[in-house]
Amino acid sequence: MPAFYLLVPFLLIRFIFLSLLDGKATGRAAHFAPMQGKEMIAYYLYQFSTLMLLLVPFFLKVSLSFSTVFCLGLGVYFLGSLFLVLVMKDFANPDEKGLNTEGLYALSRHPMYLAYFVFFLGMVMLTRSLVLFILLLIFQLSAHFIILAEERECLITFGAAYQEYQKRVRMYL
């Protein structure tokens, strides 16, 4: 089976489902906080790795089997898809100030990046692609610097409310 079919749920959830929940949320999800210094390198690595995570599956295949890696990969892939649905639902419903602190955002300040990671990790396992795995690592490492810029912007935008949120909820898990 061509691996690019695995991207269909991601694209439907990230773009169509989110826009159906709240048209403005799609724009908010695409917003990047202003980067400083070396964060610009991370930003370009993030953009490159995202593009490659979406293009490389066009050149990969998934071999259907009942191996442990395949079954585990299928489970991680479906968990990532569910995680994406839940995080998009929560992201589309910020509080009156525009801050997301409910649902998965009560467990992690950045669950969308975690959902992306779990989803693409499932794809890595299903395709058994070292190239896709390396791209995912670049994506996740560069995302950390994007997140640092987002945290800085949230502190400016939401002030004390975000500081309290930071005290209650971990950055990742």
Side-chain angles (χ1 to χ4, degrees):
M1 174 179 93
F4 66 84
Y5 287 130
L6 297 173
L7 292 171
V8 173
F10 176 82
L11 297 171
L12 289 174
I13 295 165
R14 170 59 180 82
F15 296 101
I16 306 300
F17 179 66
L18 183 58
S19 67
L20 290 173
L21 291 173
D22 178 9
K24 292 180 184 177
T26 306
R28 285 188 303 113
H31 169 75
F32 285 92
M35 305 288 152
Q36 297 177 354
K38 294 180 181 178
E39 290 171 347
M40 287 304 297
I41 296 168
Y43 171 79
Y44 289 116
L45 284 171
Y46 179 85
Q47 295 298 349
F48 171 77
S49 60
T50 300
L51 179 63
M52 291 297 103
L53 285 170
L54 297 174
L55 288 179
V56 168
F58 281 86
F59 303 98
L60 300 174
K61 293 188 184 294
V62 175
S63 297
L64 303 175
S65 70
F66 290 104
S67 70
T68 304
V69 173
F70 178 82
C71 292
L72 189 58
L74 200 57
V76 171
Y77 175 78
F78 283 121
L79 179 65
S81 298
L82 175 63
F83 198 6
L84 276 170
V85 168
L86 296 174
V87 79
M88 293 304 159
K89 179 190 72 66
D90 294 339
F91 184 79
N93 294 299
D95 66 16
E96 64 280 348
K97 297 174 196 160
L99 185 59
N100 294 90
T101 60
E102 301 296 320
L104 293 175
Y105 285 87
L107 304 173
S108 167
R109 294 195 309 265
H110 303 282
M112 194 179 299
Y113 291 102
L114 292 173
Y116 292 166
F117 179 78
V118 173
F119 180 87
F120 284 107
L121 182 61
M123 284 185 62
V124 164
M125 295 170 80
L126 289 171
T127 61
R128 297 182 183 199
S129 169
L130 181 60
V131 171
L132 204 60
F133 180 66
I134 291 168
L135 288 167
L136 180 59
L137 290 179
I138 294 168
F139 170 85
Q140 201 62 33
L141 289 172
S142 60
H144 175 72
F145 293 95
I146 305 292
I147 287 168
L148 294 177
E150 286 179 8
E151 293 261 317
R152 199 171 43 249
E153 184 178 49
C154 286
L155 283 168
I156 292 166
T157 304
F158 303 110
Y162 197 75
Q163 284 179 323
E164 286 302 314
Y165 178 56
Q166 285 180 307
K167 289 176 187 174
R168 286 191 330 269
V169 178
R170 292 178 172 212
M171 185 181 281
Y172 296 114
L173 290 176

